[in-house]
Amino acid sequence: MGITDRLKQQYNRALFRPSLLGLLVNPFYIIRQGLYRGVFRYRGYMRGRLLDFGCGSKPYKDLFAVSEYIGTDIETSGHDHRNEEIDVYYDGRTLPFPDASFDSIFSSEVFEHIFNLPEILDELYRVLKPGGYMLITVPFVWDEHEIPYDFARYTSFGLRHILTEKQLQVVEAHKSTDYVATIFQMWAAYVYQHILPRRKAFRIALTPLLVTPVTVCGLLLSAVLPKNQHFFHNNILVVQKPLSPATHEPFQS
């Protein structure tokens, strides 16, 4: 691997992991820090044979001590799959796995892109073993992305309702950021996406000068101002499939 490839690898890693390099080059540092910490916090629920639903590049794969890691995604989406690590594609309706195939399921930043979420939850329920856990992250505050495949935002109450309707028991529920941090992250995202030059090399070069100060200010003010989580970036939940699946009612189209 050459120097250019190594630098690119370190940059891509910094986009998902809280680090000094990430603070300097990642315009989405606050939201990604919150996501990473939430996934890390609940990683122990993931065990055995794991399905990463909507896996993309599998940025959190090495957090999970599992026996097998299988990633699935839909072929037609709002981004390019060329540099991703997808093991199996699915058709947007039916997962190509037998019933009770997985001990655990991980899905990060995917549900907002699924128009037929109740139907897909039935599929996730079907392929998860009784007693198995799902670790899910879903945005509440974020701009439209992967256009036009961006369909929903979920409050903590709405998401809990959708999941419990499918007989999935909420075991853990966490909000990834607070009010102040969320405001500053949105401002940093605005500067990066709409003020900096469109050419990616220029954006990366200018991020430490024009975006990182906004991020740092947000982190500092979030630490000292009164906490409030009515305005936040992501819901992070752990849900469990009951040991007896007899009460589950599939989605009726």
Side-chain angles (χ1 to χ4, degrees):
M1 182 182 295
I3 294 177
T4 302
D5 290 333
R6 285 199 298 269
L7 289 174
K8 184 176 180 180
Q9 186 179 64
Q10 290 179 7
Y11 173 78
N12 289 335
R13 183 179 176 85
L15 294 180
F16 290 92
R17 305 299 178 94
S19 64
L20 179 58
L21 177 61
L23 185 61
L24 291 174
V25 302
N26 186 0
F28 313 121
Y29 180 88
I30 291 174
I31 187 173
R32 292 282 173 77
Q33 179 192 59
L35 280 169
Y36 180 86
R37 288 178 174 177
V39 173
F40 185 87
R41 179 178 183 176
Y42 299 127
R43 70 195 186 284
Y45 285 97
M46 301 291 95
R47 60 194 67 170
R49 190 171 189 241
L50 180 148
L51 174 66
D52 187 338
F53 176 70
C55 63
S57 62
K58 301 178 181 174
Y60 304 109
K61 179 179 178 180
D62 62 359
L63 293 183
F64 304 123
V66 296
S67 60
E68 189 175 3
Y69 196 107
I70 297 174
T72 189
D73 214 318
I74 192 166
E75 193 161 4
T76 302
S77 70
H79 67 274
D80 195 328
H81 291 306
R82 280 182 298 179
N83 297 316
E84 298 184 338
E85 301 178 42
I86 299 163
D87 302 302
V88 180
Y89 284 102
Y90 86 109
D91 63 6
R93 295 182 67 90
T94 304
L95 291 169
F97 307 106
D99 295 356
S101 297
F102 297 95
D103 301 286
S104 51
I105 296 174
F106 174 63
S107 185
S108 183
E109 309 301 272
V110 176
F111 284 9
E112 74 272 23
H113 301 295
I114 300 175
F115 194 79
N116 56 329
L117 184 58
E119 181 182 358
I120 296 303
L121 284 173
D122 285 335
E123 278 295 284
L124 293 172
Y125 187 101
R126 179 183 66 79
V127 302
L128 183 64
K129 292 180 181 179
Y133 293 96
M134 282 201 293
L135 172 55
I136 306 160
T137 82
V138 187
F140 171 56
V141 172
W142 199 242
D143 54 8
E144 291 183 333
H145 57 287
E146 298 196 19
I147 296 169
Y149 303 102
D150 189 2
F151 303 119
R153 295 292 179 270
Y154 296 94
T155 67
S156 58
F157 307 103
L159 189 58
R160 183 184 289 265
H161 175 76
I162 290 169
L163 293 167
T164 54
E165 267 200 330
K166 294 299 179 181
Q167 309 303 321
L168 291 162
Q169 179 186 356
V170 177
V171 178
E172 306 277 4
H174 173 72
K175 295 175 180 179
S176 65
T177 56
D178 63 20
Y179 209 115
V180 173
T182 302
I183 290 172
F184 275 85
Q185 173 60 92
M186 297 313 295
W187 176 241
Y190 176 78
V191 172
Y192 180 79
Q193 294 172 329
H194 303 292
I195 295 179
L196 297 190
R198 290 193 174 275
R199 189 170 178 180
K200 188 172 182 180
F202 291 157
R203 283 187 174 186
I204 293 173
L206 291 172
T207 293
L209 297 175
L210 299 177
V211 181
T212 299
V214 178
T215 300
V216 171
C217 187
L219 292 171
L220 292 174
L221 289 176
S222 173
V224 300
L225 291 175
K227 293 291 182 184
N228 183 290
Q229 287 192 303
H230 292 162
F231 192 67
F232 61 96
H233 275 304
N234 295 91
N235 292 284
I236 301 174
L237 296 97
V238 177
V239 298
Q240 185 178 28
K241 178 177 178 177
L243 288 170
S244 174
T247 58
H248 181 66
E249 296 182 3
F251 173 76
Q252 300 296 322
S253 59

